[in-house]
């Protein structure tokens, strides 16, 4: 059985060595889908593509949505029975990746989905409770993405947790992410100043998600040694990601309105 992998990316290269390095242990082909426009429609300057493993194919095009981008990866890898679709800031532990490959060799499923363990600013802080969202990251030939991480086949929900590092960024990187990502128009007003920057002074802040505040209820300090080991094995640079010690405040207050009230 031939396995492929597709990784969408705009300018987010920090964790790509680990994401691609892990996948190259098990897949026959790997493509990086380098978008040439921001899905928010905002103007952007593309950063240079860093040196990559020679086994990686880079495909550049202007895609208008997340599902269009991922489906372009499926098209490029149509000689593969299964394709893993991970973002450039999503990490699987080695045992979990092997478990996914084992599931691919069965005949029962058309798609494989995982739960997300989302980290905040550093790999020592994560969202609790975990967000309810699941993501289809394994797709059998013939299935298609219909919206963001959803496919037109019933996915098998595994017991695997994907390490989601989308919010493990410097202040400047996060501000640029908000400007460029496809949900930019849904962000709670002043979220960057009040929540992202405000959390550094108040680690007890609640309701942190930029578009649906209650989806990120709170942040807990929980170092992940296995995640650190994987990132270290591929030389990922974590410099500049530490946050200052918090200034405790008496009240535990919500940071923003509930969805639909912003």
């Amino acid at each position: 059985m031939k396995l492929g992998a597709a990784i969408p990316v705009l300018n987010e290269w920090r964790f790509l060595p680990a994401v691609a390095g892990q996948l190259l242990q098990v897949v026959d082909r790997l493509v990086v889908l380098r978008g040439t426009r921001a899905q928010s429609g905002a103007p952007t300057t593309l950063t240079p593509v860093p040196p990559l493993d020679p086994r990686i194919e880079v495909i550049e095009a202007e895609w208008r949505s997340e599902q269009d981008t991922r489906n372009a990866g499926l098209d490029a890898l149509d000689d593969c029975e299964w394709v893993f679709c991970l973002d450039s800031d999503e990490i699987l532990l080695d045992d979990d990746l092997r478990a996914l490959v084992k599931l691919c060799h069965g005949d029962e499923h058309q798609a494989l989905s995982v739960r997300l363990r989302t980290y905040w600013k550093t790999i020592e802080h994560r969202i609790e409770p975990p967000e309810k969202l699941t993501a289809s990251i394994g797709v059998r030939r013939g299935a298609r993405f219909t919206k963001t991480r959803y496919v037109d086949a019933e996915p098998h929900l595994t017991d695997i947790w994907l390490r989601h590092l989308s919010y493990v960024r410097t202040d400047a990187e996060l501000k640029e992410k908000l400007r460029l990502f496809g949900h930019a128009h849904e962000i709670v007003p002043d979220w960057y100043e009040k929540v992202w920057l405000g959390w550094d002074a108040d680690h007890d802040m609640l309701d942190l998600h930029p578009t649906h505040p209650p989806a990120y209820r709170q942040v807990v300090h929980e170092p992940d040694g296995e995640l650190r080991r994987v990132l270290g094995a591929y030389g990922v640079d974590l410099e500049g990601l530490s946050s200052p010690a918090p200034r405790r405040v008496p009240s535990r207050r919500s940071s923003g309105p509930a969805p639909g009230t912003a």
Side-chain angles (χ1 to χ4, degrees):
M1 177 186 293
K2 199 170 184 178
L3 301 177
I7 305 173
V9 64
L10 186 62
N11 286 335
E12 310 84 9
W13 304 106
R14 183 191 295 270
F15 301 110
L16 185 66
V19 180
Q22 280 191 301
L23 290 168
L24 286 169
Q25 296 181 45
V26 300
V27 302
D28 301 284
R29 294 182 58 202
L30 191 154
V31 298
V32 165
L33 304 165
R34 209 299 164 79
T36 57
R37 70 182 294 274
Q39 291 179 359
S40 69
T44 185
T45 300
L46 296 180
T47 58
V49 178
L52 300 175
D53 188 293
R55 293 171 289 177
I56 296 175
E57 308 166 50
V58 178
I59 300 173
E60 292 193 349
E62 181 178 307
W63 297 291
R64 296 192 172 273
S65 67
E66 292 183 41
Q67 60 266 29
D68 288 347
T69 307
R70 294 189 175 95
N71 284 331
L74 300 182
D75 292 339
L77 297 166
D78 62 357
D79 58 330
C80 297
E81 183 67 22
W82 278 87
V83 174
F84 295 120
C85 294
L86 275 75
D87 287 349
S88 63
D89 49 23
E90 295 176 341
I91 304 292
L92 287 162
L93 300 186
D94 292 341
D95 287 347
D96 293 334
L97 180 57
R98 285 190 286 268
L100 286 172
V101 170
K102 185 175 180 180
L103 286 169
C104 290
H105 283 276
D107 293 326
E108 307 98 296
H109 311 301
Q110 293 299 310
L112 303 172
S113 66
V114 297
R115 297 176 174 88
L116 304 180
R117 186 166 286 162
T118 303
Y119 291 75
W120 178 266
K121 299 211 178 197
T122 79
I123 61 170
E124 296 192 346
H125 296 88
R126 67 172 179 82
I127 299 298
E128 179 63 32
E131 56 186 309
K132 295 180 180 180
L133 177 71
T134 60
S136 293
I137 63 167
V139 181
R140 187 189 286 272
R141 185 192 293 131
R144 304 287 288 178
F145 285 93
T146 57
K147 183 180 179 181
T148 57
R149 311 305 290 271
Y150 299 99
V151 295
D152 59 1
E154 184 65 31
H156 169 65
L157 179 58
T158 69
D159 59 0
I160 290 169
W161 290 92
L162 184 68
R163 269 66 174 175
H164 181 214
L165 307 183
S166 183
Y167 291 86
V168 180
R169 298 172 187 254
T170 66
D171 292 345
E173 289 168 347
L174 193 281
K175 193 171 188 178
E176 182 71 352
K177 166 190 167 68
L178 296 178
R179 188 179 73 85
L180 299 178
F181 87 144
H183 302 283
H185 64 287
E186 302 173 28
I187 298 171
V188 171
D190 301 321
W191 180 90
Y192 175 80
E193 293 79 10
K194 292 181 178 178
V195 180
W196 180 259
L197 296 182
W199 182 87
D200 292 339
D202 178 11
H203 285 199
D204 288 334
M205 187 179 288
L206 301 178
D207 298 335
L208 304 166
H209 195 281
T211 63
H212 297 80
Y216 288 177
R217 181 58 177 165
Q218 64 180 330
V219 174
V220 297
H221 180 252
E222 188 174 280
D224 189 330
E226 282 297 295
L227 173 58
R228 182 175 291 278
R229 182 192 62 77
V230 170
L231 297 177
Y234 293 98
V236 171
D237 180 14
L238 299 177
E239 187 69 26
L241 294 175
S242 60
S243 57
R247 174 181 58 80
R248 296 296 180 180
V249 296
S251 62
R252 294 176 61 83
R253 47 178 169 57
S254 173
S255 66
T261 64

